[in-house]
Amino acid sequence: GYFTREGRKAAAEEKKTLLQFKQAVYLLDEDVEDFRNCTENYKNYNPLIPIGCLVLGICSFIISLFWVLHIILYVLPKDPVTPFLNDYFHWFDKWFPLFGVLSVAIFSFYLLICGVKGCFKFGLRFLFFQVHPMKLNKTYMSSFLFNIGLVLLCALPVVQFSAVSFQDYARNTTISQVVNVQLKYLRFFGWFWRSKIFDYALLIIMLLTCVYLGCKPRDSTGKNSISLRDRLRSR
């Protein structure tokens, strides 16, 4: 039965096999779609798509670099080295205030996108949970609900982190008072905010992820595909 040790082990192995199978199917579908775009669908394929992806990738790299520098120079030190992005937002407000607000929105919304992408990448590589890709005309309702729930789950941490990171720019606002005053001096949780535990954890995870993705940039089943094939054949 399931409540025995052998039953739980067999159920866990069954779940792992299913996730590996879905991972292999997803990666195979990606390869098939790329192959079709290079062969039978090349006349209908928009050549601007890879160029647009390259531009978005470069912009994402720049925003990520600015976030890392901002965390190191402003968020982590007890006495900030420089306001960095706060000065940039203030400079925009001097001649067109809307651009400063849009810049804050871009940097904050980028964190939400990273949360969704990171969850998908983590699930695809480590098989802890089912992946829910978002593709045009090919997205299930369950994937929509999962990613919406993930965005809602990440919304509060993003608001808190953005209020701490841009507190010079958001000075005298309600969210700054709530996050940088009330939360910071709570009886138990205030120690975590004052010690900047979450900020250090974010920076460490970010750097470890860069190293890992630099060593293994491509999603691939690798040698596991052979063992997966043998396990499926034995059933």
Side-chain angles (χ1 to χ4, degrees):
Y2 175 79
F3 295 100
T4 63
R5 183 176 181 182
E6 292 76 10
R8 292 194 299 270
K9 185 177 180 181
E13 185 66 24
E14 190 79 19
K15 182 179 179 181
K16 181 180 179 180
T17 302
L18 178 61
L19 292 177
Q20 284 183 335
F21 177 73
K22 289 184 176 181
Q23 177 204 39
V25 170
Y26 172 78
L27 294 177
L28 182 60
D29 287 340
E30 290 286 306
D31 291 339
V32 170
E33 185 175 352
D34 292 339
F35 179 74
R36 286 178 177 175
N37 291 332
C38 296
T39 54
E40 57 189 51
N41 294 335
Y42 76 95
K43 292 184 179 180
N44 299 324
Y45 185 71
N46 189 351
L48 296 179
I49 292 179
I51 299 177
C53 292
L54 176 62
V55 173
L56 289 177
I58 295 174
C59 293
S60 299
F61 173 78
I62 294 174
I63 295 177
S64 298
L65 182 61
F66 281 169
W67 262 123
V68 173
L69 293 176
H70 188 71
I71 293 173
I72 295 175
L73 297 176
Y74 180 79
V75 178
L76 295 183
K78 185 176 181 180
D79 297 320
V81 179
T82 173
F84 200 54
L85 290 177
N86 292 282
D87 284 346
Y88 163 72
F89 299 148
H90 281 303
W91 174 75
F92 259 140
D93 280 347
K94 291 180 180 179
W95 57 282
F96 196 72
L98 181 60
F99 281 174
V101 176
L102 288 177
S103 298
V104 173
I106 290 173
F107 276 87
S108 301
F109 186 68
Y110 177 73
L111 295 178
L112 290 177
I113 298 176
C114 290
V116 175
K117 181 64 176 178
C119 180
F120 172 72
K121 183 73 70 173
F122 188 83
L124 189 64
R125 297 206 177 200
F126 295 97
L127 303 175
F128 287 157
F129 43 81
Q130 183 176 345
V131 296
H132 293 272
M134 301 281 285
K135 301 188 67 175
L136 184 63
N137 299 325
K138 296 180 181 179
T139 304
Y140 292 104
M141 183 59 66
S142 59
S143 297
F144 272 117
L145 293 176
F146 179 85
N147 287 284
I148 289 174
L150 182 62
V151 170
L152 294 176
L153 184 65
C154 296
L156 286 178
V158 167
V159 170
Q160 185 272 335
F161 182 70
S162 299
V164 172
S165 301
F166 307 137
Q167 56 182 306
D168 281 1
Y169 180 75
R171 186 181 302 148
N172 300 325
T173 59
T174 302
I175 188 61
S176 180
Q177 181 182 5
V178 171
V179 172
N180 297 316
V181 178
Q182 298 180 12
L183 288 181
K184 192 174 182 181
Y185 294 100
L186 287 175
R187 180 169 297 179
F188 173 75
F189 296 100
W191 178 82
F192 293 95
W193 310 123
R194 293 192 298 271
S195 301
K196 302 181 179 180
I197 300 297
F198 302 111
D199 301 326
Y200 281 106
L202 175 64
L203 182 61
I204 291 173
I205 292 174
M206 187 185 303
L207 296 178
L208 291 178
T209 302
C210 291
V211 173
Y212 175 77
L213 293 179
C215 298
K216 296 183 63 176
R218 292 183 58 85
D219 297 323
S220 176
T221 56
K223 298 180 181 179
N224 294 331
S225 59
I226 299 177
S227 61
L228 175 63
R229 181 198 62 187
D230 296 337
R231 287 203 305 273
L232 291 176
R233 283 182 175 178
S234 63
R235 295 179 183 273

